[in-house]
């Protein structure tokens, strides 16, 4: 009978969460490196280069891969012969490990969890509580899988109750395009099929914890119908041409994972959950001998890719920006931003809207006239940083505020990740503004372009406060121009057609 001591369990959870914040799984890096080598769309190749460069920087600097350090998910298999040396509940021990990890002085992680979810939505300040699932199994060990799931990918989770005769392939191919790029492809799709509604969702999340092995599967060939389905979905999803960050290209998914469970004869529950470019999970086993030790991956696993700005990139002086210059930007053009910009995301936009509704207007010190806003919630800085990792958040959540911001504040451009919806695009077209896309999954790389940062309003909102950043050569792509043309609509359509008509293979093997 093994005895698991409270300090060992808590330390193992905390150490694992720190570990996954800055180390990508090696299987992801190797598959992404292969996708980079064969990508033919320059914009998508540039985005993958940023993700790979960011990943190596994080491994070396031990700072978060993404500013969204996720909500903690845990899967535990607890041996029935295990004895616990603690007076705390399992939930209390897990959440203490989360607190220690997210408040680590050398690598502070962003606290994103709010309570309650419906009314107050007040940040818990330490990213607790975690979401965890326990299975009792024979034996005297505790197996733990720890993951940190970002909001951008979690928000794209899908579920359907199909008829038994309905095609899963058809549903996936119909559904993936509706997910946009907010889940930060290239990533993985986890599919859970069977059981009941809640079981299918759990299966899909668990599937994302499995090793990425599509390269090996393609090399050896499928051995059963489940593997045949994985390959079919992998190839057909990539043929959609969505590509890295939704910019069009050959690789939208690196792998499709699948877990099955018996179900009612009248049912076919299907869940699909994506994992993003900041995929984070680790596995460890406790046997009573002490805390778990995770072995850091060798940097030799990372491909020799270093992102640099292309020679055709246009430098923009944000401090002298005019509407005329914004209206000269072309869809797909790469810009390097220099100067001062303001930030703001969900909570700040809601507060600004409420201020205008009450007749108060913007708070003192906040002036958006002829300026750019960056949708971001940065990680707190450590050591000599001016700001922690500060990648973009999903822009579509700000769509309903876009017309108000462009009409009332003098704002002329926005920076975020992924596509904009029709409401925002129409507002951009009407006000002759622009939307610029930064790469999701390159938060540490982006933060190196930020040379100064200060809070200018709504400091009580924490990471959702309005900051002023001073940036130098921050890379962005013109995603929606002043005419309302969106590259997230035009590029995937063009690349899907190229793949189809030219017979371009979409395999990473």
């Amino acid at each position: 009978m093994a005895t698991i001591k409270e300090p060992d369990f808590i330390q193992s959870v905390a150490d694992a969460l720190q570990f996954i914040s800055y180390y990508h799984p090696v299987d992801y890096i190797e598959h992404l490196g292969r996708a980079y080598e064969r990508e033919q769309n320059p914009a998508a190749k540039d985005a993958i280069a940023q993700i790979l460069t960011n990943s190596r920087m994080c491994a070396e600097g031990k700072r978060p891969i993404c500013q969204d350090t996720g909500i903690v998910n845990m899967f535990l298999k607890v041996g029935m012969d295990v004895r616990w040396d603690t007076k705390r509940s399992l939930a209390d021990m897990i959440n203490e490990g989360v607190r220690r990890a997210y408040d680590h002085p050398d690598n502070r992680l962003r606290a994103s969890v709010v309570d309650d979810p419906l009314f107050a939505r007040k940040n818990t300040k330490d990213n607790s509580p975690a979401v965890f699932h326990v299975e009792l199994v024979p034996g005297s060990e505790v197996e733990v899988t720890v993951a940190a799931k970002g909001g951008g990918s979690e928000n794209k989770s899908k579920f359907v109750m199909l008829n038994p005769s309905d095609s899963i392939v058809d549903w996936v191919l119909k559904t993936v395009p509706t997910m946009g790029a907010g889940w930060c492809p290239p990533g993985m799709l986890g599919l859970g099929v069977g059981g009941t509604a809640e079981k299918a969702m759990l299966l899909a999340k668990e599937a994302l914890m499995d090793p990425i092995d599509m390269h090996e599967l393609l090399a050896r060939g499928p051995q059963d119908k489940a593997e045949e389905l994985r390959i079919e979905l992998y190839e057909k999803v990539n043929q959609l041409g969505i590509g890295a960050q939704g910019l069009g290209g050959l690789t939208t998914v690196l792998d499709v994972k699948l877990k099955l469970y018996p179900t009612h004869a009248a049912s076919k529950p299907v869940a699909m959950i994506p994992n993003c470019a900041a995929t984070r999970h680790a596995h460890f086993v406790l046997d009573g001998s002490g805390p778990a030790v995770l072995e850091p991956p060798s940097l030799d696993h990372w491909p020799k890719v270093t992102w640099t700005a292309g020679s055709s990139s246009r430098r923009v002086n944000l401090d002298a920006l005019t509407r005329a210059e914004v209206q000269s930007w072309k869809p797909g053009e790469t810009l390097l931003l220099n100067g001062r910009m303001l930030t703001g995301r969900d909570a700040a936009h809601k507060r600004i809207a409420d201020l205008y509704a009450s007749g108060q207007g913007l708070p003192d010190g906040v002036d958006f006239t002829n300026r750019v806003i960056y949708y971001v919630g940065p990680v707190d800085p450590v050591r000599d940083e001016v700001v922690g990792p500060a990648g973009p958040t999903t822009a579509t959540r700000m769509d309903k505020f876009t017309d108000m911001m462009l009409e009332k504040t003098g704002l002329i451009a926005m920076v975020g990740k992924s596509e904009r919806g029709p409401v925002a695009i129409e507002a951009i077209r009407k006000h002759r503004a622009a939307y610029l896309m930064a790469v999701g999954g390159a938060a540490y790389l982006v933060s190196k372009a930020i040379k100064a940062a200060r809070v200018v309003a709504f400091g009580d909102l924490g990471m959702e406060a309005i900051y002023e950043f001073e940036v130098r050569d921050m890379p962005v792509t013109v995603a929606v121009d002043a005419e309302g043309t969106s590259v997230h609509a035009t590029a995937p359509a063009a690349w899907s057609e190229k793949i189809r008509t030219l017979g371009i293979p979409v395999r990473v093997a």
Side-chain angles (χ1 to χ4, degrees), residues 64-79:
I65 294 166
C66 181
Q67 80 289 337
D68 183 351
T69 49
I71 184 170
V72 176
N73 291 197
M74 291 183 61
F75 299 88
L76 299 96
K77 293 184 177 180
V78 179

Side-chain angles (χ1 to χ4, degrees), residues 156-163 166-179 189-193 200-201 204 229 233 237 240 258 268-274:
K156 301 299 182 179
S157 302
K158 303 295 181 182
F159 174 79
V160 67
M161 273 290 188
L162 295 178
N163 293 318
D166 291 343
S167 167
I168 290 176
V169 174
D170 289 348
W171 177 76
V172 169
L173 295 179
K174 177 181 71 175
T175 304
V176 168
T178 71
M179 291 160 48
L189 295 178
L191 285 169
V193 183
M201 294 299 291
L229 178 59
L233 286 169
V237 169
L240 295 172
L258 177 66
K268 189 192 281 187
V270 181
M272 179 167 62
I273 303 178

Side-chain angles (χ1 to χ4, degrees), residues 112-195:
S112 301
V113 172
V114 296
D115 185 35
D116 65 279
L118 190 57
F119 302 109
R121 294 188 65 87
K122 184 178 180 181
N123 198 299
T124 64
K125 303 297 185 183
D126 57 17
N127 221 56
S128 70
V131 177
F132 66 97
H133 309 275
V134 181
E135 180 182 357
L136 293 176
V137 298
S140 56
E141 296 180 331
V142 177
E143 294 186 36
V144 182
T145 299
V146 178
K149 195 68 162 58
S153 59
E154 189 70 4
N155 288 353
K156 301 299 182 179
S157 302
K158 303 295 181 182
F159 174 79
V160 67
M161 273 290 188
L162 295 178
N163 293 318
S165 61
D166 291 343
S167 167
I168 290 176
V169 174
D170 289 348
W171 177 76
V172 169
L173 295 179
K174 177 181 71 175
T175 304
V176 168
T178 71
M179 291 160 48
W183 59 284
C184 287
M188 285 69 63
L189 295 178
L191 285 169
V193 183

Side-chain angles (χ1 to χ4, degrees), residues 18 63 100-109 381-383:
Q18 277 285 307
R63 289 294 273 146
R100 293 185 187 183
Y102 278 72
D103 198 34
H104 195 291
D106 292 332
N107 181 39
R108 293 190 186 279
L109 307 181
V382 299
R383 298 182 289 277

Side-chain angles (χ1 to χ4, degrees), residues 231-259:
I231 291 174
E232 180 182 3
L233 286 169
Y234 162 81
E235 293 183 335
K236 289 183 175 179
V237 169
N238 282 333
Q239 287 167 2
L240 295 172
I242 295 168
Q245 304 292 300
L247 295 171
L250 304 183
T251 303
T252 303
V253 291
L254 299 172
D255 204 342
V256 176
K257 314 304 293 186
L258 177 66
K259 283 190 179 295

